[in-house]
Amino acid sequence: MADWLEHSVQVEVEAPIDLVWSLWADLEQMPRWMKWIESVKVPPDNPDISLWTLNTGGLEFTWKSRILKVVPNQIIQWESVDGLPNRGAVRFYDRHGSSIVKLTVAYAIPGILGKIMDNLFLGRAVESTLKANMERFREYALKEKVS
């Protein structure tokens, strides 16, 4: 039995929605702003699948994700199909000159691991990391806007 933990964080980026969308939709670039994500590979023959590697504190997790829904400039939704159980969505809101990006991530913690690690502590660590990642994404997007 597993416990699912879910987090939502958002950031406003002073950049047009087309730019913000294109940066996020290029999954292989995600390690540039996602602290724990070591790599993302998208097989050229199947762009709906991505292979992820997360590394934190010497613990490495891998999984395969499948894109469930894509609406350009609005949403990318996924779920893992193998490896670390997770699911989520990134939603984009056009503010005409700026954009809001909202990331929602849910992941399963195996019952025994949840007992060893306090879920509240783990949840706070993940949420603060996700917030920092979104701030890094904002900085990355602003640099890309200028170049």
Side-chain angles (χ1 to χ4, degrees):
M1 198 70 174
D3 294 329
W4 281 84
L5 299 180
E6 182 174 296
H7 307 282
S8 288
V9 294
Q10 73 179 37
V11 67
E12 185 164 1
V13 181
E14 302 298 326
I17 195 82
D18 291 346
L19 173 65
V20 170
W21 168 266
S22 68
L23 294 175
W24 201 281
D26 185 356
L27 297 179
E28 291 186 346
Q29 298 304 309
M30 212 151 286
R32 292 177 181 236
W33 65 83
M34 287 284 197
K35 181 179 180 183
W36 295 341
I37 301 300
E38 192 169 274
S39 69
V40 182
K41 303 286 183 223
V42 177
D45 60 331
N46 192 348
D48 287 342
I49 295 293
S50 50
L51 309 169
W52 295 70
T53 302
L54 179 148
N55 197 325
T56 177
L59 295 174
E60 185 174 285
F61 300 96
T62 60
W63 67 93
K64 182 190 292 187
S65 277
R66 177 171 43 112
I67 300 291
L68 299 176
K69 180 179 184 181
V70 173
V71 178
N73 295 345
Q74 292 182 30
I75 188 171
I76 302 170
Q77 184 179 6
W78 76 90
E79 71 177 359
S80 64
V81 292
D82 184 32
L84 184 69
N86 70 88
R87 60 182 178 244
V90 185
R91 290 174 177 80
F92 303 84
Y93 303 94
D94 188 353
R95 293 295 180 250
H96 308 291
S98 70
S99 307
I100 293 179
V101 182
K102 181 178 181 181
L103 172 64
T104 301
V105 177
Y107 52 94
I109 301 296
I112 188 73
L113 192 58
K115 306 268 184 291
I116 295 169
M117 301 173 77
D118 176 3
N119 281 355
L120 292 174
F121 167 77
L122 179 62
R124 281 194 294 269
V126 170
E127 191 151 318
S128 68
T129 299
L130 290 175
K131 285 180 183 174
N133 286 342
M134 296 300 278
E135 292 298 326
R136 274 192 295 280
F137 174 75
R138 180 196 346 238
E139 297 305 313
Y140 178 71
L142 293 176
K143 284 180 192 161
E144 290 297 308
K145 178 182 167 187
V146 173
S147 45

